[in-house]
Amino acid sequence: SGDYGRTWGSITLPLSSRAGSGAQSIAFLDTRRGMALGGGTTAKLGDDNVAVTKDGGLTWALAGKLPMKTGAWGGVYVPGTKKPTVVAVGPGGSAWSADEGTTWITIATLNSWRVGFASPRAGWRPERRVGWPSAVPGRAANRSSATRAAPL
C-alpha cells in the first residue's frame, strides 16, 4: 500500500505454488530491497522458492533455490552484516545467503519454524518440542528453547 494501508493492491509472485505450497515469508532489507521465500507441505526440491525485489515489491524476479526439501517457512535479513545476508528456516532445516538469494549454504537440517537476529553475532531459532518426558507420568511436556546462532 502506498497510502499507509488505506488501500491495497496485489502482486503475483513468481514462486512455485500448488495446494499446500507457495509464498511463506517476505523479508525486507530496506524500503526497496526484499526477498520472498516459498515452501509448504507439498513443496519439492527444485521448486522456484526464492524471489527478490529491488523496487519495494512492485516487481519480483526469481533468484536461486533453497536447499531444504520443503522450502522456507520463515526468513529474515540479518542486520549489520557487510553484505545483505538472509537466513531461511523450515521443517527441512536452515540455510543462509549473502548474494541476494542466488546461492544458499545449509546451516543445519534440524526442523526450524522461526528465526530472528539482533546482529550478525546474536541470532535465535526458537523451537517447540512436543513429547519430551515430563514429571507427570503418562503426560508429555511441551518445552520451548532458543538456540543461539553462530556468528555469520
Side-chain angles (χ1 to χ4, degrees):
S1 170
D3 57 9
Y4 301 100
R6 281 191 286 269
T7 60
W8 291 89
S10 65
I11 303 289
T12 300
L13 293 169
L15 302 175
S16 297
S17 65
R18 63 181 76 75
S21 180
Q24 298 288 328
S25 181
I26 295 180
F28 273 83
L29 176 65
D30 53 36
T31 60
R32 305 202 53 80
R33 296 180 292 171
M35 188 173 296
L37 302 171
T41 56
T42 63
K44 300 173 186 157
L45 280 174
D47 278 356
D48 292 326
N49 52 23
V50 180
V52 295
T53 183
K54 294 180 181 176
D55 60 11
L58 295 176
T59 61
W60 294 84
L62 287 173
K65 297 180 188 300
L66 291 161
M68 295 96 78
K69 179 181 153 190
T70 56
W73 292 27
V76 295
Y77 277 93
V78 180
T81 55
K82 292 178 184 173
K83 294 167 119 182
T85 302
V86 174
V87 174
V89 298
S94 52
W96 67 278
S97 174
D99 59 6
E100 296 298 321
T102 301
T103 59
W104 292 87
I105 298 168
T106 299
I107 297 170
T109 56
L110 298 172
N111 184 350
S112 298
W113 299 97
R114 297 169 298 279
V115 65
F117 278 86
S119 74
R121 299 184 59 79
W124 292 266
R125 185 191 68 217
E127 300 169 0
R128 184 175 176 92
R129 297 182 180 137
V130 179
W132 286 12
S134 72
V136 180
R139 293 197 173 199
N142 290 332
R143 296 187 182 172
S144 294
S145 66
T147 304
R148 188 169 188 269
L152 294 175

